[in-house]
Amino acid sequence: MTVRIVSATLRDLSYIAANLRTEDRTEIDCQFDEWSPALLALTALQGFAYVAELNGNPEAGFGAAEQRGGLWIAWSWGTRRLKRCVPGMTEFSRAVLGPQVAAHGAWRVEARALATNELALRWLGRLGATQRCRLPGYGKNGEDFLLYDWTRSSDFGSSDFGESWNHVPFSKAAGAETAATDTDHCRQGRAGARSSAPG
């Protein structure tokens, strides 16, 4: 099985959103009063948005969008085949997405996950996110969520962004956008415009 990461399109994200695995549909249902696959896909296209294809079929969407200067929100969701895409998504997030976000001035990147979404929680840990707190009753029906984040140290140490998204030196992050435009040698880069809208 071949996993390929490509720039997201409204079509691919709408397909994934229409075919969400149960855990991701539950997580999304409790965060929106009303949503549709097309609306979720359109919202996801803000900032950086990517799709993981499995044997050419879109199976997972992921990315990050700026909420306000320096604060970004990371997101991901997928079909029942999401688990097979996680290794490729992890590698891409460390090598391309994380440095892209840092190069655009992120000081903090947050991700929230439904406390029962075990795959999402494991993936956030694998990406080096720090679990900050439990958010009791965060969902519209009282569901608990967990808040994770990555932060940039004010001392700009020299540790590798790819390992944890922590302590990102601007010098390393600045070249990341150039690298992202040549992912898979297909000139796939930033998808969507920088926005302060939630993603």
Side-chain angles (χ1 to χ4, degrees), residues 70-72 102 106-110 128-130 132 148-157 159 161 164-169:
L71 174 64
W72 288 64
W107 284 95
R108 178 183 180 86
V109 179
E110 293 184 349
T130 301
R132 293 296 177 183
Y148 285 78
D149 71 12
W150 300 265
T151 58
R152 186 189 322 221
S153 167
S154 60
D155 68 2
F156 294 141
S159 61
F161 189 92
S164 68
W165 292 18
N166 289 322
H167 311 295
V168 184

Side-chain angles (χ1 to χ4, degrees), residues 24 26-35 112-114 138-140 143 145:
D24 288 346
T26 300
E27 186 172 286
I28 290 165
D29 280 343
C30 68
Q31 293 183 79
F32 293 93
D33 288 327
E34 293 181 25
W35 69 275
R112 290 170 183 79
L114 187 62
Y138 184 83
K140 70 180 182 183
E143 298 90 348
F145 276 68

Side-chain angles (χ1 to χ4, degrees), residues 67-102:
Q67 288 279 293
R68 62 162 171 74
L71 174 64
W72 288 64
I73 301 296
W75 60 272
S76 69
W77 28 265
T79 70
R80 60 186 175 82
R81 293 183 252 341
L82 168 69
K83 190 180 251 185
R84 296 177 189 160
C85 299
V86 168
M89 292 166 62
T90 301
E91 181 180 335
F92 186 87
S93 294
R94 288 179 172 161
V96 177
L97 179 59
Q100 281 181 321
V101 170

Side-chain angles (χ1 to χ4, degrees), residues 130-196:
T130 301
Q131 182 182 329
R132 293 296 177 183
C133 64
R134 187 172 200 88
L135 301 170
Y138 184 83
K140 70 180 182 183
N141 298 310
E143 298 90 348
D144 290 351
F145 276 68
L146 296 174
L147 174 65
Y148 285 78
D149 71 12
W150 300 265
T151 58
R152 186 189 322 221
S153 167
S154 60
D155 68 2
F156 294 141
S158 62
S159 61
D160 181 19
F161 189 92
E163 291 302 314
S164 68
W165 292 18
N166 289 322
H167 311 295
V168 184
F170 274 112
S171 61
K172 280 191 178 182
E177 188 150 298
T178 303
T181 61
D182 197 29
T183 303
D184 290 342
H185 310 290
C186 297
R187 311 261 334 135
Q188 298 154 359
R190 188 171 181 191
R194 186 173 172 186
S195 170
S196 59

